[in-house]
DNA sequence: GAGGTTTGTTACCGATCGGTAACAGCATTG
DNA sequence: CAATGCTGTTACCGATCGGTAACAAACCTC
């Protein structure tokens, strides 16, 4: 099992000590390391060191690694919730625009980050059945889907619940596919596919397209 | 980090020693443990013990844990390839039937097993960049998608490559969603969604439906 | 300046990690 | 029978795991 640290590998986030309290630095570094190396792939020592502090201080603020994991998962869920307010602010009172905005945003996240959904990844890593983190993940995913279903309904979809499930599958699949085969794989067609599915549910294309992507490089087949 | 073994937990596979050579027993147990607890969640000692042998014998057959992982990933890919021959045998000369059979089979696998795709899970766990296992995973996923694209073309889809990508996203998403929110989540609508997408690409419904699922319990909305 | 709180430091703990050396037992095959 | 090749056993290696005790230094507040 070849290890992957030894060197500080560009020093996680270069959190200079003093600018924030240790607890904040620890939490920020834990997010970054959990995201990049996985929950089981990083130890508490590495987190503390990346945060410019030590293990003892970590354990004073987070009773255990599991507690830190829980706070990490809850934070990721909260941060994803905030994206919704962004989407609503971008197309106020325009559910159709919000629906397409949601898909666009998901595609952008996927293109920019190779590690996929932190919560879904955590669900793969937390194999001890009954781990409290699994509940956090499930609750978030259900909340996200229901919110999307409501939006689909507001946009006039014929069967909003079914459309929401379809979009969830497409986006979730794009995240994991992007991890396995990269940006050139099936995830490259997420937006195109989603729009086709949305249209097949009777939702019209968005009218006031406030940021149409530049019409260049529209390709369906990846090079092969 | 609460551990999850201590007890032999129903003794992995109850591989009685003697019936197979140690190498086979080790490999079978490694598959089961990697699948259930994740690659990083199980050590070589646990594998050897579950196989009724010891670590030394394991290392005589597999030079390292990484080699064992590689053989595991390659085996999983090969086994998935075999599913294709089953599908073709079930609907010989009937690409449309094979296409629907592919979706049905995926849905069945997802309903029966909560752990999702072993290869996709491994891609999440193998975070050390450049790990040889990642290449195995990518090659398999590309191979699988291209095969599906060819089938979509044979079935008369209007844009077979795009349909293949859409189906890959749906299925991949269903696997990961099933892990996060269970069988009652969006993955419950995988078949329904896939059929709608397939139809929207101009592929007619299958004619010689050789095993129509019992018309009962067809529900779109899960209870909420 | 005194008091209490938050930190850093060092040294531990038992357990597990991946991996190896040396040797004894056992079976097969000639 | 002897020789060879698997296998099991034990003990070990250095490193890391999650987690803790004890004490000194720094800090902030009054």
């Amino acid at each position: 099992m070849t290890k992957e640290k030894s060197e500080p590998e560009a020093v996680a986030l270069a959190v200079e000590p003093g600018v924030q309290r240790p607890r904040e630095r620890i939490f920020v570094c834990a997010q970054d390391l959990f995201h990049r190396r996985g929950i089981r792939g990083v130890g508490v020592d590495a987190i503390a060191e990346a945060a410019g502090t030590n293990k003892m201080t970590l354990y004073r603020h987070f009773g255990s690694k599991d507690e830190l994991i829980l706070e990490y998962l809850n934070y990721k869920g909260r941060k994803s919730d905030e994206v919704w307010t962004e989407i609503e602010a971008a197309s106020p009172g325009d559910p159709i625009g919000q629906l397409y905005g949601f898909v666009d945003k998901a595609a952008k996240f996927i293109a920019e980050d190779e590690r996929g959904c932190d919560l879904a990844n955590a669900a793969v890593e937390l194999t001890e059945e009954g781990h409290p983190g699994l509940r956090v993940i499930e609750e978030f995913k259900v909340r996200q889907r229901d919110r999307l279903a409501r939006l689909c309904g507001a946009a006039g979809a014929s069967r909003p619940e079914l459309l929401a499930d379809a979009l969830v599958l497409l986006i979730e699949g794009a995240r994991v596919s992007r991890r396995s085969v990269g940006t050139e794989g099936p995830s490259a067609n997420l937006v195109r596919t989603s729009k086709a599915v949305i249209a097949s549910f009777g939702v019209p294309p968005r009218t006031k397209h406030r940021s149409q992507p530049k019409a260049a490089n529209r390709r369906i087949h990846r090079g092969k």
Side-chain angles (χ1 to χ4, degrees), chain A:
Chain A
M1 207 59 163
T2 47
K3 272 294 175 177
E4 45 187 317
K5 16 174 311 190
S6 31
E7 308 187 34
E9 63 173 85
V11 168
L13 278 177
V15 179
E16 57 269 52
V19 35
Q20 286 170 315
R21 308 304 300 271
R23 195 199 141 90
E24 298 306 315
R25 303 197 316 255
I26 290 170
F27 192 56
V28 168
C29 288
Q31 289 167 43
D32 177 62
L33 290 173
F34 283 159
H35 173 75
R36 280 168 35 214
R37 301 218 281 250
I39 289 178
R40 284 198 296 212
V42 55
V44 285
D45 281 298
I47 296 172
E49 187 189 344
T53 177
N54 49 65
K55 196 166 47 170
M56 203 55 242
T57 301
L58 187 151
Y59 275 101
R60 287 196 188 101
H61 290 287
F62 307 90
S64 66
K65 186 184 180 182
D66 273 336
E67 273 187 34
L68 180 56
I69 293 172
L70 270 182
E71 197 152 326
Y72 163 72
L73 296 175
N74 274 308
Y75 173 78
K76 285 291 179 176
R78 258 182 283 126
K79 231 182 81 177
S80 279
D81 286 341
E82 292 174 10
V83 174
W84 280 98
T85 70
E86 288 181 36
I87 292 172
E88 290 167 4
S91 307
D94 173 20
I96 295 178
Q98 289 173 21
L99 185 55
Y100 286 103
F102 176 77
V103 172
D104 285 342
K105 203 131 211 162
K108 224 184 77 182
F109 280 155
I110 290 169
E112 284 171 357
D113 178 56
E114 64 157 3
R115 282 289 298 168
C117 175
D118 291 315
L119 297 181
N121 290 351
V124 170
E125 285 203 282
L126 301 179
T127 57
E128 27 183 334
E129 52 181 342
H131 190 290
L134 295 177
R135 267 200 54 198
V136 176
I137 297 167
E138 178 177 357
E139 283 170 5
F140 166 77
K141 292 291 183 186
V142 169
R143 196 167 69 233
Q144 192 90 324
R145 192 214 77 103
D146 288 344
R147 195 158 186 171
L148 180 59
R150 260 180 281 132
L151 182 55
C152 289
S158 52
R159 286 163 299 177
E161 307 267 334
L162 188 56
L163 174 56
D165 282 347
L167 291 176
V168 165
L169 295 186
L170 287 173
I171 293 172
E172 212 80 318
R175 301 187 102 141
V176 61
S177 171
R178 195 251 190 262
R179 169 71 193 156
S180 299
V181 296
T183 44
E184 308 289 308
S187 72
N189 278 323
L190 169 62
V191 172
R192 200 169 290 109
T193 305
S194 298
K195 282 183 178 171
V197 170
I198 292 174
S200 78
F201 276 77
V203 178
R206 83 174 118 192
T207 49
K208 41 188 280 190
H209 40 71
R210 34 157 211 90
S211 72
Q212 189 79 326
K214 38 270 172 216
N217 60 12
R218 295 213 180 172
R219 23 189 292 289
I220 293 187
H221 315 118
R222 77 202 62 84
K224 50 174 299 185

